[in-house]
Amino acid sequence: MKSARIIKPKEPLEVQETENSKPNGSEVLIKVQSCGVCHSDIHLWKGGYTGPNGQFMKTTDRGVKYPLTPEHEIAGIVSEMGEDAKQIFKKDEKVMVYPWVGEGLCPACKTGNENLCDHPRSIGVYNDGGYAEYVLVPNYRYLLRIPDEIEVDIAATLSCSALTAYSAVKNAEIRPDNNVVIIGTGGLGLMAIQLAKAVFGARIIAIDIDDDKLKIARNNGADEIVNSKSNNAIQEIKEITDNSGADAVIDFVNNSKTVESDMQFLRRRAKVVLVGLFWWRVETKPDIYAY
Ligand SMILES: [Zn+2]
Ligand SMILES: [Zn+2]
């Protein structure tokens, strides 16, 4: 089969001919039909990312090995199955892949949080991923059938961006009467707006620095939009919430600046959920406490 692989960081991906894996036991071979492009693929391709103090955090220091076929947002059809998987799936079934595979033995895996595994084996990060004609999934339990009404292209991205947003929304412990501020209306923010609305019915206040993106946020279910470039953004949020502040803030930008302002419109007992790879520092003491 053909795979587009990162041979060495920062060099163009190379299309290589690699052996098709034969699935055994619970393994399933998926014929890839659609893949996302995630920001973490860029980090994989660059060989790392810049940390909080400007130092470069290398992916190889965290167990990534090159050459690697990247991409973890994968959807396609079942091609071949190991004996055990044949009882669960049929050939040609439309499926999406849960890529956050753990080794199954650490405390996180044992409590069902494989995505936080101490020794991750994520597909497309530590093992070959979706930029290939086929991908080997280590167990049928990492597959989810795609309902007919959902397109494969949409389903592919759900296992990363939608899942991250869903987890953030769930951790915010939103109630229907809550004012929920969502910072950042990129892919994750838009997912969170739709989920917070559909699952919890909360009132959503979307914040961004780009009016065009805010318009899209409104079309995706945001009840109120605020451009944080405006001088009185914090005041606007206070007014929208009748001066009570936000019951929850989900911050998808998560840098020192946004986190500092998050602290200024929190209601007592409010939850703050910070999403992202990067660390933050609050330099001023917030006058309202989250808990
Ligand atoms: Zn991703
Ligand atoms: Zn584990």
Side-chain angles (χ1 to χ4, degrees):
M1 67 166 177
K2 284 193 175 65
S3 308
R5 313 196 81 201
I6 304 170
I7 308 299
K8 261 173 111 180
K10 292 187 183 161
E11 287 187 9
L13 268 66
E14 211 173 278
V15 177
Q16 289 190 337
E17 194 66 46
T18 51
E19 282 269 307
N20 242 3
S21 310
K22 199 99 193 109
N24 291 309
S26 306
E27 294 172 342
V28 183
L29 189 71
I30 304 299
K31 185 170 171 39
V32 179
Q33 290 186 321
S34 190
C35 261
V37 183
C38 182
H39 199 147
S40 40
D41 292 319
I42 310 291
H43 295 306
L44 273 178
W45 175 75
K46 283 186 175 166
Y49 48 89
T50 306
N53 300 318
Q55 79 273 31
F56 193 68
M57 318 276 285
K58 283 167 82 178
T59 46
T60 45
D61 290 343
R62 313 184 92 204
V64 173
K65 291 190 177 74
Y66 302 96
L68 172 76
T69 308
E71 231 325 279
H72 49 270
E73 301 173 353
I74 307 162
I77 55 168
V78 172
S79 171
E80 279 182 64
M81 289 150 284
E83 260 331 292
D84 301 340
K86 281 181 183 161
Q87 296 155 29
I88 311 291
F89 282 98
K90 288 196 277 300
K91 194 174 156 50
D92 294 335
E93 261 188 298
K94 208 164 71 155
V95 288
M96 57 183 271
V97 177
Y98 177 85
W100 313 113
V101 176
E103 106 287 37
L105 301 171
C106 77
C109 286
K110 283 183 179 162
T111 50
N113 296 307
E114 243 179 293
N115 56 317
L116 302 173
C117 179
D118 285 339
H119 306 104
R121 295 175 181 178
S122 320
I123 297 167
V125 182
Y126 298 99
N127 282 310
D128 283 338
Y131 288 168
E133 288 177 280
Y134 295 89
V135 67
L136 185 69
V137 176
N139 194 302
Y140 56 78
R141 66 189 177 87
Y142 298 111
L143 298 174
L144 194 64
R145 284 186 185 87
I146 303 172
D148 283 341
E149 61 271 25
I150 297 182
E151 287 171 37
V152 183
D153 291 348
I154 300 291
T157 62
L158 297 180
S159 57
C160 184
S161 63
L163 207 51
T164 306
Y166 179 69
S167 171
V169 167
K170 218 170 73 176
N171 283 328
E173 296 178 0
I174 296 166
R175 290 204 318 261
D177 60 349
N178 281 173
N179 286 305
V180 179
V181 171
I182 292 180
I183 317 273
T185 55
L188 287 175
L190 292 179
M191 285 283 187
I193 290 168
Q194 294 174 71
L195 286 162
K197 203 82 213 164
V199 182
F200 301 100
R203 182 177 182 217
I204 311 292
I205 305 156
I207 303 187
D208 206 290
I209 52 170
D210 182 330
D211 283 331
D212 291 336
K213 282 166 100 182
L214 285 169
K215 261 184 227 154
I216 298 170
R218 199 189 269 290
N219 292 338
N220 276 270
D223 299 286
E224 307 286 345
I225 51 175
V226 174
N227 190 322
S228 54
K229 264 190 182 162
S230 106
N231 289 333
N232 57 350
I234 289 166
Q235 192 52 39
E236 276 182 59
I237 295 163
K238 283 188 179 161
E239 277 165 24
I240 290 168
T241 58
D242 288 332
N243 278 322
S244 61
D247 299 281
V249 178
I250 308 174
D251 188 338
F252 288 102
V253 179
N254 186 22
N255 63 25
S256 315
K257 255 189 170 172
T258 59
V259 177
E260 250 185 80
S261 64
D262 295 348
M263 298 298 164
Q264 297 180 54
F265 46 75
L266 293 178
R267 187 179 194 165
R268 280 182 86 94
R269 309 177 302 281
K271 286 259 181 189
V272 185
V273 180
L274 304 173
V275 184
L277 194 57
F278 299 105
W279 293 261
W280 59 281
R281 268 179 314 157
V282 175
E283 275 138 7
T284 54
K285 196 171 167 232
D287 55 3
I288 304 170
Y289 289 95
Y291 296 98

